[in-house]
Amino acid sequence: MRHMGIFLKWDTVLLYRNRLFHIALLIALIYTGIFFLLKPLGSLTRILVVLIFNDPVVTGYIFGGVIWMFDKNQHTLQAVSVLPANRRHYLLSKILILSLLAVMVSLVMAIATRGLDFNVFHLVISVFFSSFLFSAVGFAVAALSRGFNEFLLYSVPFFIISAIPMLYMFGIGEIMYFIPLPTTGCIEILRASFTSLNSWYLLIMYCQMFIWAVISWRVVVRVTQKRQV
């Protein structure tokens, strides 16, 4: 736990110094501005879900991949490999920081657009685990990539698969077709932050989301272990 605390402390400092917190806040302000521009069109709950869900994608996946490649180029990963701390501490620390950052930014967006008229618990949990999943996959894809261009190329299919469950939110298809996809639970629980959904339905979505979070963690641990630098 001591090593984990040290990683969390320094990762927070490094992300702040590299202005990732500032970039995430700027993205949130841009999304909020888009929402207000569209507000005259009427009820925009689904659009707000899409905009907030995009934040874990940006802060989690992209930042995770960039951090891995930066640390690889700066030979930080070699230094970590000889420390008494476990490589898992290195990964978990960064994923947790990125996930908490996504939660803070999503709360800013939700409060700015809805006031306090939303379910805070559903929002925090859904955004945290969405960002956890995306961050883990971002690290895994970056570890498999030889450069940033290849990272972006590998990202396209994942982004397409991740966006498919939004079709159900817009009334296309049946939910049972989307259950196997990794982001279905995340999107549906985020939607529950702004609209009422059946309790049993929510329980299923929570279980689906937790299962995929565990799978994403196991995948990133296995991939990065095989890609020892």
Side-chain angles (χ1 to χ4, degrees):
M1 290 301 295
R2 185 173 67 86
H3 293 138
M4 188 65 193
I6 294 172
F7 272 122
L8 286 169
K9 174 185 175 181
W10 284 108
D11 282 337
T12 303
V13 172
L14 288 172
L15 289 179
Y16 180 79
R17 286 181 177 175
N18 289 322
R19 300 187 179 277
L20 293 189
F21 289 150
H22 304 76
I23 295 171
L25 181 59
L26 177 61
I27 292 170
L29 292 175
I30 292 172
Y31 286 161
T32 303
I34 292 173
F35 180 84
F36 277 108
L37 287 174
L38 297 175
K39 206 168 184 178
L41 297 178
S43 177
L44 295 174
T45 297
R46 289 177 293 186
I47 299 300
L48 182 57
V49 170
V50 173
L51 293 178
I52 291 179
F53 187 75
N54 271 330
D55 184 65
V57 173
V58 175
T59 59
Y61 187 91
I62 302 297
F63 286 5
V66 169
I67 289 170
W68 174 273
M69 287 185 283
F70 178 81
D71 284 351
K72 179 181 177 181
N73 292 334
Q74 296 297 315
H75 306 292
T76 304
L77 298 176
Q78 292 94 322
V80 172
S81 65
V82 299
L83 291 175
N86 194 299
R87 172 69 69 86
R88 296 186 182 191
H89 293 157
Y90 162 87
L91 290 169
L92 185 58
S93 171
K94 286 177 169 52
I95 291 173
L96 288 177
I97 294 296
L98 290 173
S99 300
L100 291 173
L101 174 60
V103 169
M104 290 187 290
V105 171
S106 67
L107 285 172
V108 170
M109 294 174 63
I111 293 172
T113 55
R114 298 274 300 219
L116 296 177
D117 183 24
F118 64 95
N119 189 304
V120 177
F121 180 80
H122 290 327
L123 179 72
V124 169
I125 298 299
S126 63
V127 172
F128 180 86
F129 281 97
S130 297
S131 185
F132 189 98
L133 188 155
F134 277 98
S135 299
V137 175
F139 276 106
V141 172
L144 293 171
S145 305
R146 289 171 292 185
F148 190 70
N149 289 336
E150 193 168 300
F151 171 73
L152 292 178
L153 181 63
Y154 290 158
S155 303
V156 173
F158 178 69
F159 284 160
I160 292 174
I161 293 172
S162 300
I164 289 175
M166 289 185 182
L167 294 174
Y168 177 73
M169 185 173 65
F170 288 93
I172 301 174
E174 299 293 334
I175 189 61
M176 62 180 178
Y177 301 138
F178 303 105
I179 289 283
L181 299 177
T183 55
T184 301
C186 300
I187 293 171
E188 287 300 288
I189 295 171
L190 180 57
R191 187 163 69 93
S193 305
F194 307 107
T195 187
S196 179
L197 296 179
N198 180 275
S199 298
W200 284 106
Y201 178 80
L202 276 176
L203 179 61
I204 294 172
M205 292 299 111
Y206 265 101
C207 291
Q208 197 265 8
M209 181 177 66
F210 292 147
I211 289 170
W212 274 105
V214 172
I215 291 173
S216 68
W217 173 247
R218 291 184 177 275
V219 167
V220 70
V221 169
R222 178 168 295 185
V223 169
T224 54
Q225 283 178 342
K226 289 183 178 179
R227 294 279 176 163
Q228 294 289 342
V229 181

